[in-house]
Amino acid sequence: MADEATTAVSDVATVDLLGLLAYGELTAFERMATDARMAPTLGDKIALASMATGEFSHFMAIHDYLRSRSIDPERAMEPFIPALTAFHNLTAPADWLESLVKAYVGDSIAADFYREIAAVLPGEPRELVLSVLADTGHAAFAVEKVRAAIATNPTLAGRLALWGRRLVGEALTQAQRVAADRDALTALLVGVGDLETLAAMFTRIIDAHGERMAALGLSA
Amino acid sequence: MADEATTAVSDVATVDLLGLLAYGELTAFERMATDARMAPTLGDKIALASMATGEFSHFMAIHDYLRSRSIDPERAMEPFIPALTAFHNLTAPADWLESLVKAYVGDSIAADFYREIAAVLPGEPRELVLSVLADTGHAAFAVEKVRAAIATNPTLAGRLALWGRRLVGEALTQAQRVAADRDALTALLVGVGDLETLAAMFTRIIDAHGERMAALGLSA
């Protein structure tokens, strides 16, 4: 009985995690494709559009995996639409540089979180999560463009650093909302280990975030 | 000498046609990906996003072909940015149904034109043009959604029929602008045949347009 209950929780949690990740990838596609319209050059536009299609193929990988297990992908994603929509509505980039910082900082911090949590998933979904988190080239692109912009106009650094902090704040707010609504997902997090292990995990994520801000030339 | 001159014109014209088609596919990607945000259901959103990535892979096929012939794809596209941008700015859909009609009617009439003109291209670019014009599934999707909407609310038919006519009008305006600017491309059109052949070609394109409007349940 104990084993069955554990499996049931773990299954609900796995579907939740995949649903959240799938909708995250779908909105990443939409956001990058839309941001491509703001691109200052045709080359930038092509680069963004290409990365957007990479996100969509990640989305399809999860979508098809859920289907293959007779799980409705749309039902799996639905619980996470409000939180992700609220996050994106509250953090609409005002310009091209803000959109690059958002994509880099936001997607990377989410990816770190998924990677940590994937460790407690069974083998097949774990491999799937790790494979769809592969960088679509956005990181190097964003770092290059943002650094170049700050080199030309150092006053941008202050505004973009504040923007990075705001993104993390809104992401945490929505993450708490998801955690409060989805017990199975929260249980998965508890499965990572004791409080000390969890604290170490969050420290790793925050440290990596600081390193990325530094790579952009911004204070975290 | 005559042969060399013909080849040179044909080469310029081929690059022009591929540049125009490439930028058309790139803007189709952007438009469909952006329209996906207006999608009324998650299923519609996924369908649109999937078709958008299909357009992007068509774009990349032309992009890579030009590169393989040492032609800069961005330079090939640049002359057509103003006309295509003007067309899209002047025909921004007000809602989801207008965006479906635009994608179906606009892309199909452009595809018919490209298909006709591809006949005079040399073998390799001709095959490329025909392959990237393959329908990404948008036609059946648009027809189904628009017909269903009109069945539910017949008063939509009038507004959408007017919208279809406006799209054709704006497309013709921009086509004339391109024809006036790009002599090589116009020469390619002349290469299709005498005036009678050209007239027959336009009749075929207009007839096909009428059939598509009828398929949508709209008067042309």
Side-chain angles (χ1 to χ4, degrees):
Chain A
M1 270 309 281
D3 266 7
E4 263 177 49
T6 310
T7 307
V9 168
S10 160
D11 277 358
V12 172
T14 301
V15 171
D16 264 8
L17 189 71
L18 293 176
L20 172 59
L21 183 51
Y23 198 68
E25 295 279 3
L26 187 59
T27 54
F29 161 80
E30 284 192 321
R31 198 192 53 222
M32 285 187 199
T34 310
D35 289 351
R37 301 185 90 139
M38 286 200 268
T41 72
L42 200 44
D44 289 336
K45 187 192 283 283
I46 296 167
L48 245 291
S50 168
M51 292 180 251
T53 62
E55 301 289 347
F56 188 74
S57 71
H58 289 166
F59 161 76
M60 283 305 292
I62 307 172
H63 182 275
D64 293 349
Y65 174 80
L66 289 170
R67 272 271 168 83
S68 75
R69 308 216 19 190
S70 307
I71 295 159
D72 181 349
E74 296 183 28
R75 283 195 60 191
M77 289 188 277
E78 261 159 21
F80 307 104
I81 297 178
L84 279 159
T85 304
F87 174 71
H88 288 299
N89 288 346
L90 290 167
T91 59
D95 59 24
W96 170 245
L97 289 173
E98 285 194 2
S99 80
L100 288 181
V101 171
K102 178 176 173 179
Y104 176 52
V105 165
D107 292 358
S108 301
I109 208 164
D112 281 349
F113 173 75
Y114 290 126
R115 249 182 234 111
E116 294 275 359
I117 226 176
V120 298
L121 291 183
E124 214 182 0
R126 184 176 63 232
E127 293 310 313
L128 175 67
V129 168
L130 294 177
S131 73
V132 303
L133 292 177
D135 180 19
T136 57
H138 205 275
F141 181 80
V143 170
E144 184 200 324
K145 299 289 169 181
V146 173
R147 287 193 76 95
I150 293 173
T152 310
N153 181 2
T155 61
L156 285 171
R159 172 164 70 88
L160 293 176
L162 279 177
W163 173 242
R165 280 198 281 278
R166 202 175 123 211
L167 289 170
V168 173
E170 297 290 356
L172 286 176
T173 304
Q174 299 306 326
Q176 280 169 334
R177 178 175 173 180
V178 168
D181 280 358
R182 308 299 294 180
D183 291 344
L185 208 52
T186 314
L188 198 63
L189 198 61
V190 173
V192 167
D194 56 21
L195 273 182
E196 207 170 321
T197 314
L198 271 181
M201 179 187 116
F202 282 111
T203 303
R204 278 195 299 277
I205 293 178
I206 295 299
D207 285 352
H209 168 67
E211 281 163 27
R212 279 189 296 269
M213 291 294 278
L216 290 173
L218 302 175
S219 58
Chain B
M1 272 309 282
D3 267 7
E4 264 177 48
T6 310
T7 308
V9 167
S10 161
D11 278 358
V12 172
T14 301
V15 172
D16 264 9
L17 189 70
L18 293 177
L20 172 59
L21 184 50
Y23 198 68
E25 295 279 4
L26 187 60
T27 54
F29 161 80
E30 284 191 322
R31 199 192 51 222
M32 286 188 199
T34 310
D35 289 351
R37 300 185 90 141
M38 286 199 269
T41 72
L42 201 45
D44 288 337
K45 187 193 283 284
I46 296 168
L48 245 292
S50 169
M51 292 180 253
T53 61
E55 302 288 346
F56 188 74
S57 71
H58 289 166
F59 161 76
M60 282 306 291
I62 308 174
H63 182 274
D64 294 347
Y65 174 80
L66 289 170
R67 271 273 168 84
S68 74
R69 308 217 20 191
S70 307
I71 295 158
D72 181 349
E74 296 183 28
R75 284 194 60 190
M77 289 189 276
E78 259 159 19
F80 307 104
I81 297 178
L84 279 159
T85 304
F87 174 72
H88 288 299
N89 288 346
L90 290 167
T91 59
D95 59 23
W96 169 245
L97 289 174
E98 285 194 3
S99 81
L100 287 181
V101 171
K102 177 175 172 179
Y104 176 52
V105 164
D107 292 358
S108 301
I109 208 164
D112 281 349
F113 172 75
Y114 290 126
R115 248 182 234 112
E116 293 276 357
I117 225 176
V120 299
L121 291 184
E124 214 181 0
R126 184 176 64 233
E127 294 309 313
L128 176 67
V129 169
L130 295 177
S131 73
V132 302
L133 292 177
D135 179 19
T136 56
H138 205 274
F141 181 80
V143 170
E144 184 200 323
K145 299 289 170 181
V146 173
R147 289 192 76 97
I150 293 174
T152 310
N153 180 4
T155 61
L156 285 171
R159 172 165 69 89
L160 293 175
L162 278 177
W163 173 242
R165 282 199 279 282
R166 202 175 124 211
L167 289 169
V168 173
E170 295 291 356
L172 287 176
T173 304
Q174 298 306 326
Q176 280 169 334
R177 178 175 172 178
V178 168
D181 280 358
R182 309 298 296 180
D183 290 344
L185 208 53
T186 315
L188 198 63
L189 197 61
V190 173
V192 168
D194 56 19
L195 274 182
E196 208 171 319
T197 314
L198 271 181
M201 179 187 116
F202 281 112
T203 304
R204 278 194 299 277
I205 292 178
I206 295 300
D207 284 351
H209 168 68
E211 282 164 26
R212 279 188 296 268
M213 291 293 279
L216 290 172
L218 302 174
S219 58

